[in-house]
């Protein structure tokens, strides 16, 4: 252990705040971390709600002033779980104040904001201050194992990638407006909220980057009742007041990777019957892999080098101690869940901070994903013309 604990302030305390809190509480109890994690402060807009969050989620104190929090001498890490519209301001202030930063995805609402954040992280890294973006699904053991298999050549040369993230919580047209449906607060709809995960996970597993895209965006329901109260992804609806939906409900796009591989991507919160189906399939010259978040303890593997009579997708149960992260948990076959990825995120982040190495995904990685999302939006506005995924100006 280091002589002094890492003292954490979390800004925000909604759905993602609960998930991040689970990670901070649990990781030190299952992994031999090089520093104590002190859950020192949670910050929210409303004093009473922040106090309840502190008590319920395990934080020592609460506050309503994030600016004061990032300037405090007794805070070492700032964990940002607020809507995307506030990410840039909070993260840059925290990095400039000498705080390590963990920021939820997508990194920002715009490329310009993300670039400013990446620049701030680059400056901070020269002083030994590090920043990481929370693409947590990288840390599901089956997804990390898929990455290892591709890197080891198990599928040969990657030719095709299919990635989709399907949810259905907006199918009901009477579901109320939340901040995720307003461009000012969310930046984009399904594209940024869940499509960002599909982009990052596809690139993580393949070790490749998207170079250009051709995309289509669609908004199915343009007006919804205003929310009178919200919790997580759900909210109560007003009976008389309505608001305009200003983001996409569906994003469909093709992508060309730097290696020459081709990908297809889908992100929607209108896929009736699908609750949280993040799926990535990688097809190569020597085999294929298939990952599904709704079956997150397993990985499908096809070995094209096997004799024809033995070929077929094999379901690998990714619960062995040899698999990524698993040795800290339960005996083989005893399943992990959604929340475990957040403990793995804390493990990797803390180890990187203490060792003085850049954690991944970095803010530069988050900027790249933001550039891909912006390219999809630009392509959709230009009748799906192929658009470079990096802005050249």
């Amino acid at each position: 252990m280091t002589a002094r604990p890492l003292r954490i302030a979390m800004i925000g305390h909604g759905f993602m705040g609960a998930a991040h809190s689970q990670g901070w509480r649990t990781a030190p109890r299952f992994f031999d971390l090089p520093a104590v994690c002190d859950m020192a402060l949670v910050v929210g807009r409303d004093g009473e709600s922040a106090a309840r969050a502190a008590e319920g989620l395990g934080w020592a104190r609460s506050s309503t002033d994030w600016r004061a929090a990032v300037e405090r001498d007794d805070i070492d890490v700032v964990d940002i779980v607020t809507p995307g519209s506030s990410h840039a301001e909070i993260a840059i202030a925290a990095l400039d104040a000498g705080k390590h930063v963990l920021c939820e995805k997508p990194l920002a609402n715009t490329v310009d904001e993300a670039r400013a954040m990446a620049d701030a992280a680059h400056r901070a890294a020269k002083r030994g201050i590090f920043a990481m973006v929370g693409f947590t699904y990288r840390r599901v053991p089956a997804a990390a194992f898929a990455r290892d298999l591709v890197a080891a050549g198990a599928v040969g040369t990657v030719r095709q990638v299919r990635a989709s993230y399907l949810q259905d919580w907006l199918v009901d047209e009477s579901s109320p407006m939340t901040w995720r449906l307003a461009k000012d607060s969310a930046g984009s709809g399904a594209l940024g909220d869940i499509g960002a995960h599909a982009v990052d996970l596809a690139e993580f597993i393949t070790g490749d980057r998207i170079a250009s895209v051709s995309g289509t965006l669609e908004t199915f329901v343009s007006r919804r009742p205003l929310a009178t109260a919200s919790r997580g992804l759900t909210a109560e609806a007003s009976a008389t007041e309505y608001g305009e939906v200003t983001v996409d409900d569906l994003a469909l796009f093709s992508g060309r990777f730097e290696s020459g591989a081709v990908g297809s991507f889908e992100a929607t919160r209108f896929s009736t019957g699908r609750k949280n189906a993040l799926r990535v399939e990688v097809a190569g010259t020597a085999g294929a892999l298939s990952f599904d978040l709704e079956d997150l303890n397993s990985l499908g593997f096809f070995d094209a080098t096997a004799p024809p009579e033995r070929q077929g997708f094999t379901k690998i149960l990714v619960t062995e101690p040899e698999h990524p992260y698993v040795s800290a948990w339960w005996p083989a076959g005893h399943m992990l869940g959604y929340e475990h990825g957040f403990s793995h995120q804390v493990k990797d982040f803390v180890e990187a901070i203490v060792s003085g190495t850049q954690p991944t995904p970095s803010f530069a990685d988050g900027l790249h994903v933001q550039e891909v999302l912006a390219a999809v939006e630009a392509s959709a506005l230009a009748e799906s013309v192929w658009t470079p995924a990096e802005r050249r100006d």
Side-chain angles (χ1 to χ4, degrees), residues 45 61 63 73 76-77 79 84 110 112 124 140 168 171 176 214 223 244 258 272 296 298 301 308 341 351 379:
R45 290 173 296 181
R61 298 178 299 281
S63 168
D73 292 335
D76 306 295
V77 175
D79 185 358
T110 69
D112 287 341
V140 173
D168 72 353
V171 170
S214 169
R223 294 181 76 248
E244 297 295 322
E258 291 177 350
T272 305
L296 58 74
S298 69
F301 174 59
E351 288 178 348
S379 174

Side-chain angles (χ1 to χ4, degrees), residues 36-58:
V36 171
C37 297
D38 178 5
M39 297 171 64
L41 180 69
V42 62
V43 181
R45 290 173 296 181
D46 176 76
E48 290 185 8
S49 296
R52 286 195 299 269
E55 182 177 2
L57 298 176

Side-chain angles (χ1 to χ4, degrees), residues 38-387:
D38 178 5
M39 297 171 64
L41 180 69
V42 62
V43 181
R45 290 173 296 181
D46 176 76
E48 290 185 8
S49 296
R52 286 195 299 269
E55 182 177 2
L57 298 176
W59 296 88
R61 298 178 299 281
S62 64
S63 168
T64 59
D65 189 346
W66 71 260
R67 292 175 179 83
V70 303
E71 292 290 343
R72 288 172 58 152
D73 292 335
D74 60 348
I75 294 297
D76 306 295
V77 175
V78 172
D79 185 358
I80 303 170
V81 294
T82 56
S85 57
S86 61
H87 285 183
E89 183 180 14
I90 299 172
I92 293 170
L95 289 167
D96 288 347
K99 310 301 192 257
H100 305 287
V101 173
L102 172 61
C103 183
E104 252 306 310
K105 50 53 52 190
L107 186 60
N109 278 5
T110 69
V111 169
D112 287 341
E113 289 176 346
R115 191 179 301 280
M117 293 171 73
D119 289 344
H122 179 71
R123 294 192 303 269
K126 295 179 180 179
R127 298 180 282 119
I129 303 300
F130 298 106
M132 187 174 83
V133 59
F135 283 112
T136 317
Y137 295 135
R138 287 181 172 215
R139 294 178 164 87
V140 173
F145 184 50
R147 160 84 179 221
D148 293 346
L149 289 175
V150 171
V155 302
T157 300
V158 174
R159 288 176 171 165
Q160 190 174 359
V161 180
R162 286 175 291 278
S164 62
Y165 203 152
L166 313 177
Q167 298 177 342
D168 72 353
W169 60 279
L170 287 176
V171 170
D172 184 351
E173 295 187 19
S174 65
S175 294
M177 284 282 300
T178 70
W179 68 265
R180 295 177 189 271
L181 299 176
K183 190 172 183 64
D184 287 348
S185 55
S188 63
L191 175 64
D193 185 24
I194 55 180
H197 274 304
V199 169
D200 181 74
L201 195 59
E203 292 191 336
F204 171 72
I205 290 174
T206 62
D208 205 352
R209 285 164 68 98
I210 296 170
S212 60
V213 298
S214 169
T216 298
L217 301 177
E218 185 68 33
T219 300
F220 297 117
V221 179
S222 59
R223 294 181 76 248
R224 289 183 178 274
L226 295 179
T228 57
S230 62
R231 179 177 176 82
L233 296 180
T234 63
E236 297 176 9
S238 167
T240 58
E241 296 183 277
Y242 283 75
E244 297 295 322
V245 175
T246 52
V247 298
D248 59 278
D249 288 328
L250 166 69
L252 294 171
F253 61 98
S254 301
R256 295 189 183 277
F257 289 79
E258 291 177 350
S259 68
V262 177
S264 61
F265 295 82
E266 178 182 4
T268 178
R269 300 175 296 201
F270 273 73
S271 184
T272 305
R274 301 299 182 190
K275 302 304 176 184
N276 200 38
L278 172 57
R279 298 170 177 177
V280 178
E281 187 167 311
V282 178
T285 56
L289 292 167
S290 179
F291 169 77
D292 184 349
L293 185 64
E294 290 187 333
D295 188 15
L296 58 74
N297 287 279
S298 69
L299 182 70
F301 174 59
F302 182 90
D303 183 2
T305 67
E309 69 274 14
R310 299 181 194 170
Q311 289 182 359
F313 268 93
T314 298
K315 182 176 181 177
I316 302 172
L317 196 61
V318 187
T319 62
E320 297 293 333
E322 293 79 11
H323 289 133
Y325 304 106
V326 175
S327 62
W329 298 105
W330 319 120
H334 293 65
M335 306 304 187
L336 301 187
Y338 168 79
E339 72 279 6
H340 287 81
F342 295 92
S343 292
H344 303 158
Q345 178 171 264
V346 166
K347 170 190 180 296
D348 290 346
F349 189 42
V350 170
E351 288 178 348
I353 289 173
V354 175
S355 66
T357 57
Q358 175 61 54
T360 57
S362 66
F363 275 18
D365 296 325
L367 168 61
H368 165 71
V369 172
Q370 200 72 46
E371 289 176 326
V372 172
L373 302 180
V376 173
E377 290 184 310
S379 174
L381 289 172
E383 298 184 344
S384 303
V385 66
W386 279 95
T387 304

